[in-house]
DNA sequence: TCCCAATTTGTAATCATTACATATTTACAA
DNA sequence: TTGTAAATATGTAATGATTACAAATTGGGA
C-alpha cells in the first residue's frame, strides 16, 4: 500500500532504470515527503544538500519516474503540477483555504459507469475540493471566511 | 441536467452579470460545443465571426463564468486547461490515443470516504484515462498501438 | 447628447516547462 | 588502471499559456 524506498528502488532496477545519485535523492524525497510537492518544492529543498542540482534534472527525473509507474502526476489545479509516490486506491482532497492536499481512501471498484462499458480504463483519478477540518474550526472561531 | 442557453442567461442575470455581446457569444459557444474546448479553440473559432476579439477577453469571460458557477474548469492534464458548461453528476474520460474527452454519468453520492467525515466538500471531480472504443477497434484492426 | 463606469482590447510581463548543447559521470573493455 | 562510448546531469535559451496593465471602446442613465 505504502511502498518503501527499498521496494521502489527494486522496481526501478527491474525496469533497467539506472539509480543515479540524483534519481535516488528525488525518489527518497518523495518517499519522505508525501505531501504532493511541486517541482519547485522538490528542487529548492534538494538543492540545499545537492548544490549542483539543476531544475531541469528534477524535471527529467520526475518524467522518468512517472513513466516507470512509481510516481503519479496530480493535476487538481491547472496552474500547479504535483507529484506523488504511486499508491493504490486513494483520492485527493484540496483545501481551498490552506491549500493542503489530503489523501483519502476510496473504493475505486465502486467507481463504474455503464457509459464506459466498452472503454479500456487505465487510470482513475478522484479530486475533491472544499475546506479541511482545521480551517473549518478556524473559520468558526473567528467567524470570518478566509479567501479562496 | 443539460442547461440551455436561455437558462444560463437567466442565471447570469440573477447574479447581476451584464450580458455583453462577447459574453453571450462565449456562452453560446460553450453550449453548442460540449467538447470541453481549450481557450485556444474557443478563441480561434469565435474570432472567425468576431474579428476584433481578443484572447484576453476570452480569458476574462471564462473567469467570470467560472466564478458565476455556470462553467467548470477541467484539468485532466496539467498542460491544457479545458472548459465545460456546468453539468451535474458526470465524470470525464480522456482517450490517450485520440485525445477526445467523453462525459459519463456517475453517482457522486457513492463517492464517499470515511476519511473525509469532518471535511466540507464543495467540489467533486472524477477523471479517467484509457482508450476509447473507437481507438480500441482501430488498434485491433491494424494490430498496432498508436502512441500516447 | 454627455458622462461615468463597465467592458474589451493589445502589448508586455510572468512563470512553468521544454529544447538543446555542453559538461560530467558511469560502465565496461582493453 | 586507463580509455572510450553511452548515459546522465547541467545551464541557458526558447516556448507557450496565462496574467497584468493601461488605453480604447461601449453602454446605460442623467
Amino acid at each position: 500500500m505504502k511502498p518503501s524506498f527499498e521496494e521502489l528502488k527494486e522496481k526501478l532496477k527491474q525496469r533497467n532504470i539506472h539509480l543515479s545519485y540524483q534519481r535516488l535523492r528525488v525518489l527518497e524525497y518523495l518517499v519522505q515527503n508525501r505531501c504532493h510537492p511541486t517541482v519547485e518544492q522538490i528542487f529548492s529543498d534538494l538543492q540545499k544538500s545537492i548544490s549542483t542540482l539543476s531544475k531541469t534534472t528534477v524535471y527529467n527525473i520526475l518524467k522518468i519516474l512517472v513513466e516507470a509507474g512509481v510516481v503519479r502526476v496530480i493535476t487538481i489545479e491547472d496552474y500547479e503540477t504535483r507529484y506523488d509516490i504511486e499508491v493504490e486506491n486513494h483520492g485527493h482532497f484540496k483545501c481551498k483555504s490552506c491549500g493542503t492536499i489530503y489523501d483519502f481512501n476510496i473504493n475505486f471498484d465502486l467507481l463504474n459507469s455503464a457509459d464506459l462499458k466498452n472503454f479500456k480504463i487505465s487510470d482513475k483519478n478522484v479530486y475533491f475540493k472544499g475546506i479541511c477540518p482545521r480551517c473549518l474550526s478556524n473559520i468558526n472561531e473567528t467567524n470570518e471566511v478566509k479567501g479562496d
Side-chain angles (χ1 to χ4, degrees), chain A residues 131-146:
Chain A
I131 312 288
C132 71
R134 196 203 305 203
C135 288
L136 277 174
S137 64
N138 287 343
I139 290 166
N140 288 340
E141 280 167 21
T142 60
N143 213 25
E144 56 183 29
V145 179
K146 281 170 86 177

Side-chain angles (χ1 to χ4, degrees), chain A residues 18 20-27 30 39-40 42-44 46-47 50-66 83:
Chain A
H18 176 238
S20 74
Y21 178 67
Q22 287 87 345
R23 289 179 184 175
L24 284 174
R25 292 297 303 278
V26 170
L27 191 67
L30 289 172
V39 170
E40 184 57 39
I42 299 167
F43 170 69
S44 64
L46 285 178
Q47 205 192 25
I50 316 172
S51 59
T52 62
L53 186 67
S54 164
K55 197 181 276 187
T56 303
T57 301
V58 177
Y59 276 106
N60 289 340
I61 292 174
L62 287 171
K63 192 180 176 192
I64 286 168
L65 296 179
V66 169
Y83 295 86

Side-chain angles (χ1 to χ4, degrees), chain A residues 73-82 94 101 127 129:
Chain A
V73 177
I74 304 173
T75 49
I76 292 191
E77 309 281 3
D78 50 333
Y79 53 84
E80 58 176 20
T81 305
R82 292 169 173 276
K94 176 166 181 178
I101 294 178
Y127 300 140
K129 292 184 200 171

Side-chain angles (χ1 to χ4, degrees), chain A residues 81-146:
Chain A
T81 305
R82 292 169 173 276
Y83 295 86
D84 198 13
I85 285 290
E86 183 80 19
V87 172
E88 295 293 317
N89 275 340
H90 79 287
H92 293 106
F93 177 96
K94 176 166 181 178
C95 176
K96 288 183 178 182
S97 180
C98 66
T100 305
I101 294 178
Y102 298 84
D103 289 337
F104 59 88
N105 289 305
I106 193 160
N107 186 349
F108 276 79
D109 296 333
L110 289 177
L111 268 185
N112 280 314
S113 173
D115 300 342
L116 297 178
K117 72 171 186 293
N118 294 318
F119 289 64
K120 184 184 169 195
I121 301 168
S122 58
D123 201 359
K124 292 181 176 181
N125 295 285
V126 174
Y127 300 140
F128 288 2
K129 292 184 200 171
I131 312 288
C132 71
R134 196 203 305 203
C135 288
L136 277 174
S137 64
N138 287 343
I139 290 166
N140 288 340
E141 280 167 21
T142 60
N143 213 25
E144 56 183 29
V145 179
K146 281 170 86 177

